[in-house]
Amino acid sequence: MRRAIAIAVACLLILPGVATSAARYAAPGGGPVLGCEKATPCSLSYAITAAAANDEVIVAPGTYPVGATIVASVPLTIRGETLPVSPLGEDRRPRIIGGPGVNPLKSFDRQVVADLTIESSGSLSGTVFMVGDGSVFERLELIATGPGALALRPGNNFTLSNSLLRASGESAGALFLQGTETGTAVLRNDTMIASGPESTGLGMFVTKASATVTIRATNTIVDAATDVSAGATPGGTGAIVLDHSNFDTAVGPVAGSDNQTTPPLFLNAGAGDFHQAPTSPTIDAGITDPANGPTDLDGNVRAYGGSGGGFIACGGAAAGPPRTDIGAYEQIYAIAVPAIGCVRPRPPGTRITAAKIRKQAGRARFRFRAIGAASGFQCRLLRPRRKTAKPRRRQRPFRACSSPKTYRNLKPGRHRFAVRAVSGAGPDPTPARKRFRIPLGASAR
């Protein structure tokens, strides 16, 4: 009996365990490092191509030149780490740039891709070619340039939300779906821009005679030579249904309700800035629903909520429940509070949850969290000054950071650590702080 139990235990030890996902980190300048740990990140290509099914590839901030198409051969989550918001959200996301004619990311498996800026030039396969059923695309900026440029080529079933797709060139397209099987696609709060002769913003064509494909777009801006186009081979069915969206030209079976035809107004479309201008008809014109997602492309909170929420964007028609904008960006410059007037949204709070000070090693590590909605953190460490040093003219600036934050090789003396959460309403005005002292004789290591 004991021998049988021992054999059974041994078998359990050598059998493969239940598959678990792993986090793999990519950073600019990374290489083919086994494991792709956070402390030793890999290149973007190696992190994706060497990953196991259902792993999460976390892409650090920075720029990633791609000289050859990176193919994800298993289902993955590919997510960018975003920096705290800048005034208009520029450079918050990691930026992946394909070389001339290169399609940067490609896959035939289900993928979840979020919080990235991806560019291509002269690629006929598109900036992102991911046709796996059930793929999810969130908070992406996809840019394509050149004749026949295409920002996104998805499969028959996918979800796209809070994203900006823009393509420029003759016959350019922001999104094109080639229907090969029956499916349904869902778009929420996206901005799709295509410029150039015969350009198309949102297009689809069903190539299989027995297939039925439907795209349902809500709160979406589409602007191109032909904004929306749907078609199918004989026997196939293709349709695009838009709700609370903005477009004015359509070809084929395109239907919907509560849509706008007055052109949207952007802050600086010529410079690639497709934030809505304060007078755009798309402000407060979307449908309010948690399905829109919690944040826009900049990380600002979507203005969803029920009656009695107590605020709307300043410049709205009248005080009342929150209203959602059409498009990838939510215009949050100020908030109108009934009976109070126009005030700024409240920034998040910050709390240090743990502090580990290794005094003799000259090392400090801090963990922290946000109180309320936040898009990131900023840290600052004020180090001791020499007695002969001149008075500091200005304090050391806050810089983007994440929890946990570790400082090494600290010099002896008194240090002051501060951290603040950041959101679209700005940084926490009262950062969390921690004072500590490194004694003389500490051996930094």
Side-chain angles (χ1 to χ4, degrees):
M1 181 67 178
R2 290 180 180 176
R3 184 172 181 271
I5 294 174
I7 292 173
V9 171
C11 290
L12 288 174
L13 291 175
I14 63 174
L15 285 173
V18 176
T20 58
S21 61
R24 301 173 61 83
Y25 292 85
V33 184
L34 185 64
C36 300
E37 301 290 342
K38 187 171 186 178
T40 54
C42 297
S43 67
L44 179 65
S45 177
Y46 186 79
I48 292 175
T49 57
N54 303 314
D55 280 356
E56 181 181 26
V57 176
I58 302 171
V59 185
T63 301
Y64 298 79
V66 175
T69 299
I70 301 174
V71 180
S73 57
V74 295
L76 298 173
T77 294
I78 304 172
R79 175 177 62 83
E81 288 186 320
T82 57
L83 296 172
V85 292
S86 61
L88 290 178
E90 296 97 336
D91 299 321
R92 291 186 61 246
R93 297 170 295 276
R95 185 175 292 270
I96 301 171
I97 304 176
V102 174
N103 156 224
L105 293 182
K106 184 175 184 177
S107 182
F108 294 91
D109 293 277
R110 181 186 185 274
Q111 304 295 326
V112 176
V113 187
D115 298 310
L116 294 168
T117 296
I118 311 174
E119 303 178 34
S120 71
S121 174
S123 169
L124 298 181
S125 299
T127 297
V128 171
F129 181 103
M130 290 186 169
V131 296
D133 262 8
S135 289
V136 176
F137 308 102
E138 299 177 319
R139 297 178 302 278
L140 300 176
E141 182 178 10
L142 305 182
I143 305 167
T145 59
L150 178 62
L152 177 61
R153 171 73 186 279
N156 305 291
N157 297 280
F158 72 94
T159 301
L160 174 72
S161 62
N162 299 296
S163 296
L164 169 63
L165 277 57
R166 51 191 179 102
S168 60
E170 185 176 355
S171 301
L175 184 154
F176 178 73
L177 187 161
Q178 181 177 335
T180 58
E181 297 290 344
T182 293
T184 300
V186 176
L187 279 57
R188 283 265 180 180
N189 279 101
D190 301 304
T191 298
M192 301 183 180
I193 308 294
S195 59
E198 301 183 10
S199 59
T200 304
L202 172 59
M204 69 173 299
F205 191 86
V206 178
T207 58
K208 187 174 182 178
S210 59
T212 298
V213 182
T214 303
I215 296 178
R216 300 188 179 277
T218 304
N219 298 349
T220 297
I221 295 174
V222 190
D223 189 17
T226 299
D227 294 343
V228 185
S229 176
T233 194
T237 303
I240 299 177
V241 180
L242 299 103
D243 179 32
H244 285 78
S245 294
N246 182 294
F247 67 100
D248 60 5
T249 56
V251 174
V254 176
S257 60
D258 298 303
N259 295 307
Q260 301 177 341
T261 57
T262 303
L265 300 176
F266 302 112
L267 289 182
N268 193 348
D273 183 356
F274 290 94
H275 290 79
Q276 301 164 91
T279 54
S280 177
T282 53
I283 300 294
D284 290 345
I287 188 170
T288 298
D289 192 314
N292 299 338
T295 63
D296 72 352
L297 182 56
D298 277 348
N300 294 319
V301 176
R302 281 287 178 197
Y304 64 77
S307 178
F311 61 91
I312 61 172
C314 286
R323 296 292 301 275
T324 300
D325 296 347
I326 298 174
Y329 299 105
E330 194 77 19
Q331 191 203 45
I332 301 181
Y333 295 112
I335 299 296
V337 181
I340 296 178
C342 194
V343 299
R344 284 283 180 186
R346 180 175 296 177
T350 318
R351 178 175 298 168
I352 297 174
T353 58
K356 185 176 182 180
I357 314 299
R358 298 180 60 185
K359 296 182 178 180
Q360 294 302 320
R363 186 180 301 177
R365 187 178 191 184
F366 303 94
R367 293 184 181 274
F368 38 86
R369 67 178 180 86
I371 302 172
S375 57
F377 295 92
Q378 295 175 340
C379 295
R380 180 174 69 187
L381 182 67
L382 298 182
R383 297 177 171 86
R385 291 179 296 156
R386 298 190 305 272
K387 292 183 179 180
T388 58
K390 295 180 180 180
R392 186 182 285 112
R393 293 183 178 179
R394 64 183 181 88
Q395 289 187 327
R396 185 184 298 271
F398 280 90
R399 298 188 184 279
C401 62
S402 58
S403 180
K405 175 63 176 178
T406 301
Y407 295 94
R408 297 180 174 85
N409 302 321
L410 296 175
K411 295 181 180 179
R414 298 183 182 278
H415 298 255
R416 291 177 290 167
F417 171 73
V419 58
R420 61 188 186 185
V422 180
S423 74
D428 181 358
T430 57
R433 305 177 188 275
K434 177 70 176 180
R435 295 174 180 265
F436 62 98
R437 180 177 176 273
I438 300 297
L440 289 171
S443 56
R445 60 182 184 271

